[in-house]
Amino acid sequence: QVQLVESGGGSVQAGGSLRLSCEASGYASSRDFMAWFRQSPGKEREGVAAIYTDGGSPVYAEPVKGRFTLSQDNAKNTVYLQMDSLKPEDTAMYYCAASRWTGVGGILLPSGYNYWGQGTQVTVSS
């Protein structure tokens, strides 16, 4: 089993920044892949950023490229999502997710992950 606990959400004005944290515990190999997803009311959950934790480089969804940065601290079993230049359309519930294997091409797809955090709300006002 893997447990994921997110923190760091909040409300900011457009152009501001937030940093989300996701602390993981449990069987290490079950979280070889870590990712951030988001979901706003009436929309499907979408991948934001992901990483293969054993030496991979972060992968980003197009809407957040150049604005969001995923990083990890393996000593703390924590991944971070630094969100800069936030826009109102970034408003959503943000979820951390983990998986042992996401499948080919599945690193940013919700179907590739079987462990999820409870979510943290991000609200960006214009």
Side-chain angles (χ1 to χ4, degrees), residues 69-80:
T69 303
L70 187 154
S71 62
Q72 59 179 341
D73 184 335
N74 288 338
K76 296 181 178 180
N77 293 323
T78 300
V79 294
Y80 304 95

Side-chain angles (χ1 to χ4, degrees), residues 2-6 21-25 31 33-35 77 79 95-99 113-119:
V2 173
Q3 293 78 42
L4 304 170
V5 179
E6 304 104 329
S21 300
C22 173
E23 183 174 359
S25 60
R31 40 189 171 89
F33 291 84
M34 298 285 292
N77 293 323
V79 294
Y95 297 91
C96 179
S99 178
Y113 295 82
N114 48 358
Y115 298 104
W116 294 86
Q118 81 286 354

Side-chain angles (χ1 to χ4, degrees), residues 84-107:
D84 299 318
S85 301
L86 282 161
K87 304 176 181 180
E89 50 264 44
D90 295 318
T91 295
M93 185 72 80
Y94 282 71
Y95 297 91
C96 179
S99 178
R100 179 172 186 160
W101 170 241
T102 63
V104 176
I107 197 170

